[in-house]
Amino acid sequence: AIDPNFEQNREQVGEEDGVAVWGPVEPPEKQGIRGTHVAVDFDICLADGACLEDCPVDVFEWVDTPGHSESERKANPADEDQCIDCMLCVDVCPVDAIDVDPG
Ligand code: SF4
Ligand code: F3S
């Protein structure tokens, strides 16, 4: 499962499309965690898609991660600013790849 304390345990190594990237990132195999308020561990996400289908405000969009062993696309929390903290995505993700921190 995603580490809920990733902000303490990881370094922010950059930003992609306005979404924070928390390392380590070593493509293709290490993709890191994307997002802060709504965070997705790309190394756990296996492209189930339930988060994209169920989020009431369409926070997520697919991005391609060619060569990653779990899946070659991931749910990027591109519109995390729109999140209403309903926690649906956290509940539906079969591999617990998502952390939402209403804080
Ligand atoms: Fe969307 Fe709710 Fe998840 Fe926020 S907590 S990203 S609103 S499904
Ligand atoms: Fe990935 Fe979980 Fe969404 S596997 S696509 S973060 S439901």
Side-chain angles (χ1 to χ4, degrees), residues 4-8 36-39 80 83 85 87 90 98-103:
N5 299 314
F6 70 89
E7 287 174 79
Q8 282 78 50
T36 305
H37 180 95
V38 180
E80 63 180 338
C83 176
D85 300 325
M87 297 298 171
V90 173
I98 306 174
D99 180 64
V100 174
D101 183 5

Side-chain angles (χ1 to χ4, degrees), residues 38 54-57 59-60 83-90 100:
V38 180
D54 290 358
C55 177
V57 291
V59 160
F60 304 95
C83 176
I84 56 170
D85 300 325
C86 72
M87 297 298 171
L88 254 181
C89 58
V90 173
V100 174

Side-chain angles (χ1 to χ4, degrees), residues 42-78:
F42 272 22
D43 295 317
I44 298 175
C45 173
L46 39 65
D48 177 85
C51 58
L52 275 96
E53 282 169 31
D54 290 358
C55 177
V57 291
D58 294 329
V59 160
F60 304 95
E61 63 183 33
W62 292 120
V63 295
D64 292 324
T65 53
H68 192 267
S69 57
E70 291 297 339
S71 59
E72 295 202 308
R73 62 180 186 171
K74 308 291 181 183
N76 192 39

